Amino acid sequence: MLNLDGRLHDTYRRAVMPLLKRRAVAAYAPHITSAFRRVTTELGGSVDVFPLVRRLVFEISAEILAGVAPRDTEELLEAYIHLQAPRPLGTAEGMRAVQRAVRARHALRAGLLAAARRPGGNRDNAVTRLRALDDRPSDLQIAENLSILLLGGYETTGYLLSRMLWLVARHAELQEQLRLGFQRKDPVGGRSLFDAVFAETARLHPPLAHLPRRSGVDLNWAGHHIPAGSHVFFSVLTAHHDPVLFPEPEKFRIGRFGVGKTEETPPGFALVPFGAGPRICPGVHLATLTSRLITQHFLEAFRMNADSDRYVADVTHNGASISPAGPLTITFSQHRERTSR
């Protein structure tokens, strides 16, 4: 779906989009809460939050979009991780990494084909909707679409949510304000403190460094001629760190957005962590709800602390998706009132 154009892209996107509309996504809240409780049952002490949240978000995406039970997600997630791992060419470790990637590719293909062939029953997910098309895709085509949906669903949301939790853990006062906001049930439809934190996290740490597009018309821009049909890469990372758009761009300042903002609103399309236009990420509502609920559950269950003097940079191994360059370590401790019960 991601790499398709024309009729097939439109057909597959129309089939899947009803699952990802704002109203449909609201019904997934119990799945998200259940996954949180399952993954964080024994959580405590100092933890690298990135692999923890990555696993949590993958379980949520796999269950909602592909009907994969949580017990069957571990091998699929490991396959994705091996496929995305850096492979230094010309070295013994690089060759071993290539071999692991080949095995991971076979495992991923087998797992997604099994999901594509599994009886759907009364479930409403991407598999059942693609099967219901008049021109039904093959099992392999369904598996390929699942591969992109799961990759896009867990990779970007897992990274963004990990960064947001880590940033919140570095600011004790903000953490408490968010927790109180969730207790008061601050409006979801209007701008809330969470919305400002989410937006500023996505600005400072967008999950994708750039977005690929194709020029639909001949275009002259900034002294450059771009012929129609050219492949164009829009740098999200550069735009989000442009000091003209965002003064002191390396600082985490939630006053740029949302409730009680203290800065001028940035222009349209300045903030595009999920893209924009006809090819905007279809999972934006699922990503937002997942991030909101998981943040709320963490703040209700734990106090979080991260070293405010140590900053962890980002790295990209493939030129597009971004990962932390080191552990995003958070120390989790239960609230005193919970511990005493």
Side-chain angles (χ1 to χ4, degrees):
M1 188 182 306
L2 178 69
N3 298 320
L4 292 174
D5 282 312
R7 184 186 64 82
L8 266 185
H9 169 265
D10 293 343
T11 299
Y12 292 162
R13 187 174 176 115
R14 278 198 300 268
V16 173
M17 275 306 296
L19 298 169
L20 300 170
K21 296 289 188 181
R22 191 190 301 271
R23 185 174 297 179
V25 162
Y28 305 145
H31 296 278
I32 297 170
T33 298
S34 176
F36 171 83
R37 290 172 178 165
R38 184 171 55 249
V39 170
T40 63
T41 300
E42 299 180 358
L43 182 63
S46 296
V47 176
D48 180 0
V49 75
F50 181 55
L52 172 73
V53 169
R54 182 172 58 184
R55 173 189 164 199
L56 172 57
V57 173
F58 187 81
E59 283 196 12
I60 293 168
S61 300
E63 182 178 14
I64 290 173
L65 298 174
V68 179
R71 64 179 179 275
D72 298 325
T73 58
E74 185 173 350
E75 187 175 4
L76 285 177
L77 177 57
E78 286 300 315
Y80 275 114
I81 292 172
H82 283 311
L83 284 172
Q84 294 173 280
R87 294 184 282 277
L89 299 179
T91 67
E93 176 53 33
M95 287 302 300
R96 287 191 289 269
V98 169
Q99 292 168 354
R100 287 194 295 269
V102 171
R103 291 194 295 271
R105 182 177 177 83
H106 289 307
L108 185 62
R109 178 188 175 100
L112 293 176
L113 275 171
R117 292 166 177 163
R118 189 177 295 119
N122 295 323
R123 292 181 177 179
D124 186 14
N125 56 41
V127 176
T128 55
R129 285 183 170 272
L130 290 170
R131 279 181 184 164
L133 290 171
D134 292 336
D135 186 9
R136 184 185 184 277
S138 67
D139 290 341
L140 180 58
Q141 288 173 314
I142 293 175
E144 289 170 342
N145 278 284
L146 290 181
S147 177
I148 290 296
L149 285 170
L150 293 185
L151 176 63
Y154 100 88
E155 186 181 37
T156 56
T157 306
Y159 168 76
L160 186 54
L161 177 53
S162 300
R163 274 294 186 185
M164 183 167 61
L165 291 170
W166 184 73
L167 286 167
V168 169
R170 288 161 52 90
H171 297 82
E173 183 178 349
L174 174 60
Q175 186 176 158
E176 190 61 22
Q177 290 172 348
L178 275 170
R179 190 160 75 100
L180 291 174
F182 286 127
Q183 289 177 350
R184 292 193 304 265
K185 294 182 170 54
D186 285 350
V188 174
R191 298 292 290 180
S192 67
L193 180 61
F194 169 83
D195 296 315
V197 173
F198 186 76
E200 178 63 353
T201 302
R203 183 203 65 78
L204 188 59
H205 295 287
L208 294 174
H210 65 255
L211 297 172
R213 291 292 184 265
R214 182 179 297 163
S215 174
V217 296
D218 285 336
L219 179 66
N220 290 306
W221 182 78
H224 299 278
H225 177 65
I226 304 174
S230 299
H231 292 281
V232 180
F233 291 87
F234 170 69
S235 177
V236 179
L237 196 59
T238 301
H240 284 193
H241 288 75
D242 185 340
V244 175
L245 300 173
F246 302 104
E248 296 186 288
E250 301 307 318
K251 291 188 176 180
F252 178 67
R253 300 198 329 206
I254 61 172
R256 306 179 201 270
F257 305 99
V259 174
K261 63 185 178 185
T262 58
E263 302 181 23
E264 184 178 345
T265 302
F269 298 106
L271 183 73
V272 285
F274 296 98
R279 299 297 289 253
I280 190 172
C281 173
V284 58
H285 298 308
L286 180 58
T288 305
L289 178 70
T290 299
S291 299
R292 180 188 297 275
L293 284 179
I294 296 302
T295 301
Q296 179 177 350
H297 292 326
F298 268 117
L299 293 177
E300 288 174 345
F302 303 100
R303 294 192 185 279
M304 304 187 300
N305 182 63
D307 186 354
S308 59
D309 294 326
R310 174 180 171 271
Y311 200 80
V312 179
D314 286 319
V315 64
T316 176
H317 297 298
N318 57 18
S321 57
I322 295 176
S323 301
L328 298 178
T329 303
I330 296 178
T331 301
F332 293 94
S333 57
Q334 290 190 342
H335 292 294
R336 291 178 181 174
E337 59 267 26
R338 286 178 174 267
T339 305
S340 63
R341 290 177 184 175

